[in-house]
Amino acid sequence: MRICRYNEDKFGLIKGDQLIDVTIALDDIPQQRWPRPHGDAMIADLESIRVGIEQNRKMGYVQGVNNVVLKSPVANPSKIIAAPANYAKHVAEAQDDAGINFGREIKTIDDYGLFLKANSALAGPGEGITLGHTDRRNDHEIELAMVIGRTAKNVAYDDALDIVAGYAIGLDITVRGVEDRSLRKSLDSYAVLGPWMTTADEIDDPDDLDFRLTVNGEVRQDSNTKNLIFDCRKLIEYASRFYTLYPGDILMTGTPEGVGPIEPGDRVVCQMDVIGKMELDVR
Ligand code: MN
């Protein structure tokens, strides 16, 4: 199942290039008073919403998916976790490029651990990327993003994929420089998630997905998640030893080689096995 958020908080089911309005299925989400629990209520309630989607997909308004503004499929993550330096060839290019390393030694994920991007950076492809600090280098980083499905702590490696609700394409947009990652990677719209969430039952092996990113038609990044240094299970195991994970938490798994600058006016197209194609504009 592919589910999306679009236009003004509408909820949709994707079938091929068609989008079916299943917003009514969100009526199954229990009303919550302050203080609301951590996490995204749609993801937390996904199994009952799934029943509602099946019941309503025959009556919802149908339109082409290209006719809507796609938002991030997760609205309210408690956090956006991201992995630095998680592909060997990206580590190598970062070591070789002063425009990435700024004179610092590039270490590996064993040294860096993970980092957080601000939730306010989250955007959908229909909103595009609005660059800040355009006097500096702003890079694209395409990554497989996992959406956590339930509250979990100290998850064992072998059980890790059981807590994943779904997968999406992530863009970890980055201002290059010397400041902490959490600052440089957290400008508004610098965490793109989309084009929708493909539920976990449709992806047998998240550690074997081909993906690529083009800018204005030029292939910049082209890899497979089998090249991850910390694979998907290990990332969840590792993250959950530090953070309690909540429904809707997003875990961006790291980017392969080929990162490079984007400029206002650029058109970015991402493609990932099973998930599909995500297109967005840079402003
Ligand atoms: Mn990244």
Side-chain angles (χ1 to χ4, degrees):
M1 191 170 71
R2 297 172 170 186
I3 50 178
C4 70
R5 183 163 62 104
Y6 68 100
N7 295 353
E8 298 305 316
D9 294 330
K10 305 283 274 183
F11 187 55
L13 177 70
I14 306 289
K15 291 279 184 188
D17 56 4
Q18 300 287 294
L19 184 158
I20 307 164
D21 182 354
V22 291
T23 308
I24 195 169
L26 299 179
D27 289 352
D28 292 338
I29 297 175
Q31 292 298 307
Q32 293 165 340
R33 299 188 61 181
W34 182 90
R36 288 186 292 175
H38 287 301
D40 186 277
M42 184 276 285
I43 299 293
D45 237 24
L46 186 57
E47 285 317 308
S48 63
I49 289 171
R50 184 191 285 265
V51 175
I53 291 171
E54 286 304 316
Q55 287 168 347
N56 290 294
R57 70 188 174 92
K58 297 186 185 73
M59 20 182 164
Y61 177 71
V62 180
Q63 61 186 313
V65 68
N66 293 330
N67 294 336
V68 306
V69 178
L70 288 168
K71 306 283 180 69
S72 165
V74 179
N76 302 113
S78 88
K79 53 193 164 298
I80 304 169
I81 307 163
N86 202 19
Y87 285 82
K89 288 182 180 172
H90 173 59
V91 173
E93 78 178 348
Q95 283 165 342
D96 291 343
D97 186 346
I100 298 176
N101 64 47
F102 280 79
R104 293 166 304 184
E105 180 189 1
I106 298 296
K107 298 178 181 172
T108 66
I109 193 169
D110 287 303
D111 297 298
Y112 289 132
L114 303 172
F115 66 95
L116 297 178
K117 291 166 72 77
N119 291 354
S120 50
L122 188 60
E127 296 160 306
I129 300 162
T130 303
L131 294 180
H133 300 282
T134 49
D135 54 327
R136 294 168 59 174
R137 180 171 154 183
N138 284 267
D139 278 9
H140 56 78
E141 297 190 354
I142 184 173
E143 318 199 348
L144 170 66
M146 300 188 277
V147 178
I148 300 299
R150 57 182 166 83
T151 303
K153 183 90 172 97
N154 297 320
V155 181
Y157 179 89
D158 289 337
D159 301 332
L161 296 185
D162 296 345
I163 70 159
V164 177
Y167 300 88
I169 300 171
L171 283 174
D172 174 21
I173 305 299
T174 304
V175 183
R176 296 296 173 200
V178 297
E179 304 95 332
D180 194 86
R181 282 185 179 77
S182 66
L183 184 74
R184 293 183 286 107
K185 292 169 172 273
S186 288
L187 281 70
D188 290 356
S189 80
Y190 276 37
V192 180
L193 191 74
W196 39 71
M197 185 182 85
T198 298
T199 52
D201 54 289
E202 296 202 3
I203 295 188
D204 294 332
D205 184 4
D207 293 313
D208 188 10
L209 297 173
D210 273 327
F211 61 98
R212 58 161 34 185
L213 175 145
T214 67
V215 178
N216 305 327
E218 175 199 352
V219 178
R220 295 272 190 91
Q221 295 186 272
D222 189 355
S223 190
N224 184 293
T225 53
K226 70 186 175 200
N227 298 317
L228 285 165
I229 299 171
F230 275 41
D231 65 19
C232 289
R233 290 174 180 82
K234 191 169 180 183
L235 287 168
I236 290 171
E237 176 190 38
Y238 187 101
S240 71
R241 283 202 217 126
F242 287 84
Y243 313 118
T244 297
L245 304 178
Y246 292 102
D249 279 2
I250 297 161
L251 205 168
M252 293 196 180
T253 55
T255 201
E257 70 279 11
V259 302
I262 45 176
E263 306 281 350
D266 283 348
R267 178 81 169 165
V268 176
V269 179
C270 308
Q271 185 106 31
M272 194 172 288
D273 278 350
V274 190
I275 294 170
K277 187 194 250 187
M278 179 170 88
E279 301 182 63
L280 64 167
D281 292 317
V282 181
R283 284 185 283 272

